[in-house]
Amino acid sequence: MHDFDKAFWEDHWSAHAPSDPGLDAPHPYLDREIGGLAPGTALDAGCGTGAEAVWLAERGWQVTGVDLSANALASAARRAAAAGVADRIDWVEADIARWRPRRTWSLVLTSYAHADIGQLDLFRLLASQVAPGGTLLVVAHAPSPAHGHGTVPHPAHATASPGDIASLLTAPEWQVDSRYTSSRALTIGTHRQHLRDVVVRAHRVH
């Protein structure tokens, strides 16, 4: 089991960023799930090397990108500068499971973030940072199937099901708009891997 602590993420991003296109590209669910939203303020929680944060900034969002890894944030800042959107993103080095901002955002996004407090507790915390009328988008690792040939395995404590996530987002405060599992292939270096993703999008009614 990984601790997913600062040392783990510094090593992870030191090994992968920014040379692996597979890990350095925005995930494919952004346009489908939030491409039609009017730009506002966005929190990218566990932003890694900034792929999703830059995607948002290029579309007019004012973004806060938070990550535990200084290596990842350095790569993210270079990426934003190269894209010409450095002025639209604030980078924060912090543990998203323990960071307590005194504000909310019109969009809170998290992609494959892991926390030692547990996935559902993390998603519950991030939901509290969505402003009334705002949107939460969670992209997470699905539980590994018993016979998942070619599928990237993930520790059970780093996965979640669509139903488990949706169960946190209850009426009348929340309306769940999307909840599904999706499979896709990802090329990392010379290796092609298969991912099973969980996607949940909800908006905060009040």
Side-chain angles (χ1 to χ4, degrees):
M1 291 176 61
H2 296 306
D3 289 334
F4 298 121
D5 57 7
K6 183 174 177 61
F8 172 87
W9 289 114
E10 294 294 8
D11 289 344
H12 174 83
W13 289 118
S14 177
H16 292 295
S19 59
D20 289 336
L23 286 178
D24 210 32
H27 65 65
Y29 309 109
L30 287 171
D31 192 58
R32 179 193 310 171
E33 296 297 334
I34 60 175
L37 294 180
T41 59
L43 169 64
D44 186 357
C47 64
T49 57
E52 285 73 38
V54 169
W55 187 95
L56 289 166
E58 289 176 331
R59 287 155 181 79
W61 292 82
Q62 191 66 44
V63 185
T64 303
V66 183
D67 202 276
L68 187 59
S69 168
N71 285 329
L73 291 176
S75 294
R78 290 192 294 270
R79 183 190 199 118
V85 294
D87 60 332
R88 302 197 64 83
I89 309 176
D90 295 319
W91 304 109
V92 178
E93 183 180 338
D95 181 348
I96 57 174
R98 292 167 178 80
W99 184 55
R100 298 295 183 269
R102 297 182 179 180
R103 58 166 295 184
T104 56
W105 287 263
S106 52
L107 169 66
V108 174
L109 160 72
T110 188
S111 306
Y112 310 123
H114 303 152
D116 59 6
I117 62 173
Q119 295 303 96
L120 296 183
D121 283 340
L122 173 64
F123 300 147
R124 184 181 292 108
L125 174 63
L126 295 179
S128 72
Q129 296 166 3
V130 179
T135 296
L136 174 69
L137 177 61
V138 174
V139 179
H141 297 301
S144 299
H147 303 287
H149 178 69
T151 300
V152 179
H154 295 284
H157 67 292
T159 67
S161 72
D164 286 341
I165 300 171
S167 71
L168 305 174
L169 308 168
T170 57
E173 183 178 10
W174 288 93
Q175 178 176 314
V176 176
D177 302 307
S178 296
R179 47 177 285 187
Y180 56 92
T181 300
S182 177
S183 297
R184 65 188 180 102
L186 182 69
T187 300
I188 301 175
T190 60
H191 302 285
R192 190 164 179 81
Q193 299 179 343
H194 296 276
L195 301 181
R196 293 181 69 248
D197 298 330
V198 165
V199 181
V200 176
R201 175 174 55 88
H203 70 270
R204 188 171 186 173
V205 178
H206 58 75

